Amino acid sequence: MRGNISRIAPGVDNGAMADQLRYADRSERAKLRVTGPQRAWFLDQILTQSFQDMEPGEARDAALITVHGRMTGYMEALCTPDAFLIHLEPELGAAVASTLQGYILSTRAEVTDVTNELGLVLIVGPGWSNAAGGAPAQATSSLGVEAGYVWAPRPETAAVIASVESAGGKAISEVELEAIRISHGIARWGRDMDEKTFPQEAGVDERAVHYEKGCYLGQEAMAKIHFRGKVNRRLARLRSDAPLPPGADVLLAGATVGRVTSASDGTALALVRYTVEPGATVTIGEGRAEVVA
């Protein structure tokens, strides 16, 4: 995933998007700052994404994987003139920071936890970047719709929110954000991917794995999966007239073929066998659902 950080010009007429613009304070997400003259080279050696060719203002998704290719973390990284800013799910912060610090050794790079120093405001909707009031803005693909994160010092988070509200933005709940994400088939750490998941299973490899860069932790496993052309499971979207409970088994012709990982009423994501085709009707509990993608 690539995005831009921009300085937003004030005074933009946002009336046309007022009914759609939404925001959420996501400052609870874990945040790391990676500095030092070898920071890009260092991250290139550890994470699945390419960092050495990033320009200030670019943002990309990346994964931390084992030598066998299973993920131990998933994140978004923003390049600034003097650092990389990384944000990830709160439960991943300490473990990912510790892992990165363990690989530094004599590399001229430093990893600092800045969770309490910096805030993050998620803005959703067409023209989202025009509502940030001059704050640095980073596009995100984590919902499947136009959206971006605004980075700001914690004390300035309220000012960012006030700017969004002045542009017609209204607060959106995490339940509503999950409904958007699930309806667009976007995987999220802790729901649809975890320590047992390959990036290709969750469908995040296209935006988080760079297959042409040099060696990195887990590269051989990624290459084998990439050239083999498939994994045993894939993330699928399901649709039903009834609510679909997370954690429920997915059955096809009486055999268990997967598990529901995220759900919002009658829409869900599930990790299913790669042989389960779109259009198939599956059984979940007492109900039925259609595999739509």
Side-chain angles (χ1 to χ4, degrees):
M1 184 273 291
R2 300 189 181 200
N4 289 320
I5 187 172
S6 56
R7 290 288 172 178
I8 311 305
V12 177
D13 181 8
N14 297 301
M17 68 176 182
D19 290 338
Q20 302 177 55
L21 197 66
R22 299 290 183 267
Y23 71 86
D25 188 344
R26 281 190 163 176
S27 297
E28 82 284 353
R29 287 179 65 79
K31 307 171 205 73
L32 306 175
R33 179 189 287 126
V34 183
T35 55
Q38 291 185 302
R39 59 187 181 277
W41 178 88
F42 167 69
L43 291 175
D44 250 26
Q45 311 308 303
I46 309 301
L47 301 178
T48 57
Q49 187 56 268
S50 174
F51 290 85
Q52 295 194 82
D53 61 340
M54 288 180 69
E55 297 291 336
E58 285 190 273
R60 300 178 185 176
D61 287 15
L64 178 64
I65 63 176
T66 68
V67 294
H68 301 295
R70 298 188 188 276
M71 289 188 283
T72 58
Y74 193 84
M75 66 207 76
E76 295 182 42
L78 171 67
C79 180
T80 74
D82 58 359
F84 287 98
L85 296 176
I86 293 171
H87 66 94
L88 56 170
E89 297 291 347
E91 66 269 22
L92 286 173
V96 170
S98 178
T99 299
L100 292 177
Q101 289 165 346
Y103 281 110
I104 285 178
L105 301 177
S106 60
T107 305
R108 290 181 294 165
E110 183 176 351
V111 178
T112 306
D113 188 328
V114 291
T115 301
N116 296 325
E117 176 183 338
L118 298 176
L120 277 178
V121 178
L122 175 66
I123 309 177
V124 184
W128 65 269
S129 61
N130 295 325
Q138 170 215 326
T140 180
S141 59
S142 58
L143 296 175
V145 297
E146 291 185 55
Y149 281 102
V150 176
W151 290 81
R154 283 270 191 167
E156 298 178 16
T157 302
V160 173
I161 291 174
S163 176
V164 180
E165 291 179 334
S166 69
K170 299 182 184 302
I172 186 171
S173 70
E174 287 296 326
V175 171
E176 293 172 300
L177 289 171
E178 281 292 272
I180 295 171
R181 177 185 71 81
I182 293 166
S183 69
H184 288 84
I186 307 297
R188 183 175 180 181
W189 184 269
R191 284 77 166 171
D192 318 290
M193 49 184 173
D194 56 24
E195 292 86 354
K196 298 179 181 179
T197 313
F198 295 106
Q200 294 85 350
E201 292 177 328
V204 298
D205 57 306
E206 289 187 3
R207 66 179 187 268
V209 178
H210 196 291
Y211 288 106
E212 298 178 1
K213 71 168 185 170
C215 294
Y216 62 91
L217 182 66
Q219 181 193 29
E220 184 176 354
M222 287 296 92
K224 285 181 179 179
I225 294 173
H226 182 61
F227 291 113
R228 187 178 67 185
K230 70 175 183 67
V231 284
N232 292 329
R233 304 183 300 170
R234 70 178 185 88
L235 193 67
R237 280 192 294 131
L238 309 178
R239 183 173 55 209
S240 174
D241 293 333
L244 299 172
D249 288 338
V250 178
L251 282 73
L252 179 63
T256 300
V257 294
R259 180 178 60 85
V260 176
T261 54
S262 292
S264 176
D265 293 327
T267 304
L269 300 180
L271 277 172
V272 301
R273 292 180 185 172
Y274 76 94
T275 53
V276 178
E277 298 286 348
T281 298
V282 296
T283 301
I284 301 173
E286 300 297 321
R288 291 177 175 270
E290 179 189 2
V291 180
V292 296

